[in-house]
Amino acid sequence: MIPCSTPLAQYLSHKPEIDLAVARVLDSGWYILGEETRAFEAEFAQYIKCRFATGVGSGTEAIHVALKACGIGAGDEVITVSHTAVATVAAIELTGAVPVLVDVDPVTCTLDPRALDEALSSRTRAVVAVHLYGQAADLEAISAFTRKHGLRLIEDCAQCHGAEFEGRKLGSFGDISCFSFYPTKNLGCLGDGGMVATNDADLASQLKLLREYGWAERYVSHIPGWNSRLDEIQAAVLRVKLRHLDESNQARGRLAEAYDSSFAELPLGLPARRAGASHVFHLYVVTSDQRDELQQWLKERGIGALIHYPVPIHLQPAYVDRLSRPGKLQVTEKLARTVLSLPMYPELPSADQDKVIEAVRDFFKAH
Ligand SMILES: *Cc1c(COP(=O)(O)O)cnc(C)c1O
């Protein structure tokens, strides 16, 4: 079976370094918020060129903490997309705010700025821009909108570690940016983890308080917080993986180019690349009206292609009663029927990629 992605491959390719890092933490006797987390926060902040970075428990928690640090809660509205991981919307609801879901652009699959005006109300407080599949949302248009209306801009960077727009790392544009280190992400740990980053010192101090019971010093809560911490083992692993992030993103880029050129003649929608942006190919997503047949064809040939995402959030059982927007999310609903993610991870052997390419070509010969 050729998987869509596998974090085991990356562990194995850096096993000696990772094993040493984990052993160092185990032997230190300090497992939560210690030297490894502090060092990783500093190294990550330096990497994306943000002044402050704070480790948290997951990507979902990163968005939750970020919105709370902005003072967003019940009675507020936050605009984002329905074509994203459910975590984006779940995190907004955790704060008590109402997610207002807008459509995406059919070419980039990211938030369509033309939908923003209609979604704005007197309760709108923020926009969560999701940099989907590995490249930037339309930051120029979205940040012009948030500036014009005095809204917070939160970047969901769970799929774009290391990607850039106009020469600057994603995660350095918004008021706060949110990263996930779920194992299959471009920068992934060996469990759950996340990060919030900002250039604003006041927001940074709120973020630090919120992630640990509102504590400025031990046992004294200055604001009501909770527990969302990055642990030392994950931080130590992430320090190793951060050193290899650029090379693994380059490997993804080479795989993407090989797919692009092999599929150029096929009746298959290929991933668009935004002008001025780099693409780090968290996922390599093609589109086809014969998506289901293609996925089944690949499955029968031992190839695991997945759908990101099969049911738009506004149509999922947990959300449909509150978040449905009849007729307003047509691109999102169409993408749910047409997108397919082909195997993409930095260590994907080229012989395996050749099998995927062969199988996709054979599909279109037979159909
Ligand atoms: C993975 C992901 C998240 C959530 O991250 P977790 O660490 O799994 O909580 C949020 N947003 C997007 C776009 C994601 O892909």
Side-chain angles (χ1 to χ4, degrees):
M1 182 75 184
I2 301 174
C4 197
S5 74
T6 166
L8 177 62
Q10 190 155 64
Y11 168 58
L12 293 177
S13 77
H14 305 301
K15 182 171 162 52
E17 266 183 292
I18 291 172
D19 287 354
L20 265 179
V22 171
R24 189 171 71 227
V25 175
L26 295 180
D27 288 334
S28 77
W30 194 279
Y31 305 124
I32 293 282
L33 297 187
E35 280 313 310
E36 299 290 344
T37 305
R38 272 191 289 278
F40 176 58
E41 288 171 344
E43 288 156 11
F44 191 80
Q46 167 65 27
Y47 178 77
I48 63 165
K49 298 278 187 300
C50 252
R51 285 174 66 204
F52 309 99
T54 302
V56 293
S58 69
T60 311
E61 274 298 303
I63 301 167
H64 180 201
V65 171
L67 293 167
K68 291 289 276 187
C70 294
I72 291 167
D76 297 328
E77 290 177 1
V78 176
I79 298 173
T80 194
V81 288
S82 186
H83 187 63
T84 179
V86 71
T88 313
V89 173
I92 294 168
E93 285 207 331
L94 274 175
T95 69
V98 174
V100 176
L101 303 180
V102 297
D103 216 354
V104 291
D105 177 271
V107 176
T108 61
C109 306
T110 59
L111 192 151
D112 186 345
R114 291 168 297 189
L116 286 171
D117 279 326
E118 193 260 338
L120 184 72
S121 84
S122 58
R123 295 167 185 261
T124 310
R125 300 284 309 281
V127 175
V128 178
V130 182
H131 303 308
L132 201 72
Y133 299 156
Q135 77 174 340
D138 189 345
L139 277 170
E140 267 166 3
I142 297 169
S143 62
F145 176 83
T146 53
R147 269 198 311 276
K148 178 174 172 195
H149 298 287
L151 309 175
R152 295 292 197 176
L153 173 57
I154 309 292
E155 294 180 73
D156 181 342
C157 298
Q159 302 191 2
C160 69
H161 316 69
E164 298 184 349
F165 180 64
E166 314 250 280
R168 271 168 63 194
K169 287 274 185 302
L170 299 184
S172 62
F173 290 85
D175 292 289
I176 304 178
S177 59
C178 305
F179 292 84
S180 163
F181 304 126
Y182 183 80
T184 58
K185 308 287 183 178
N186 291 47
L187 180 60
C189 58
L190 304 177
D192 274 312
M195 185 76 88
V196 277
T198 182
N199 283 311
D200 181 317
D202 293 332
L203 288 177
S205 68
Q206 288 294 302
L207 294 168
K208 279 228 151 56
L209 292 176
L210 286 167
R211 78 156 165 197
E212 194 175 40
Y213 317 124
W215 286 356
E217 66 271 21
R218 275 197 153 206
Y219 311 127
V220 183
S221 297
H222 290 254
I223 59 171
W226 64 101
N227 164 10
S228 179
R229 297 175 296 218
L230 181 65
D231 72 65
E232 287 285 282
I233 290 180
Q234 302 311 333
V237 170
L238 287 162
R239 293 181 70 192
V240 174
K241 296 247 201 136
L242 180 60
R243 294 200 285 274
H244 299 287
L245 176 59
D246 288 342
E247 76 197 33
S248 70
N249 280 342
Q250 281 154 17
R252 288 175 188 269
R254 286 191 295 273
L255 292 165
E257 275 165 30
Y259 277 143
D260 281 352
S261 58
S262 308
F263 298 151
E265 309 298 321
L266 301 181
L268 187 65
L270 301 183
R273 295 160 187 249
R274 184 186 297 287
S278 65
H279 197 319
V280 294
F281 289 98
H282 172 59
L283 298 169
Y284 186 89
V285 179
V286 296
T287 53
S288 168
D289 291 336
Q290 304 171 83
R291 190 272 313 277
D292 291 341
E293 295 93 317
L294 176 57
Q295 186 186 30
Q296 183 60 29
W297 175 278
L298 294 174
K299 188 175 167 200
E300 283 159 9
R301 285 153 185 79
I303 296 164
L306 299 177
I307 298 169
H308 300 91
Y309 295 90
V311 184
I313 295 168
H314 67 282
L315 297 179
Q316 296 188 16
Y319 297 100
V320 68
D321 61 332
R322 304 188 292 296
L323 304 184
S324 76
R325 302 193 78 212
K328 294 228 155 68
L329 303 174
Q330 291 186 6
V331 176
T332 297
E333 288 169 18
K334 170 139 199 238
L335 286 174
R337 294 190 297 270
T338 56
V339 290
L340 188 65
S341 306
L342 299 182
M344 168 57 75
Y345 58 94
E347 302 78 14
L348 179 66
S350 59
D352 282 0
Q353 185 180 34
D354 290 345
K355 282 184 204 150
V356 178
I357 290 169
E358 219 28 59
V360 171
R361 283 190 175 144
D362 288 347
F363 175 82
F364 285 104
K365 273 182 212 145
H367 286 76

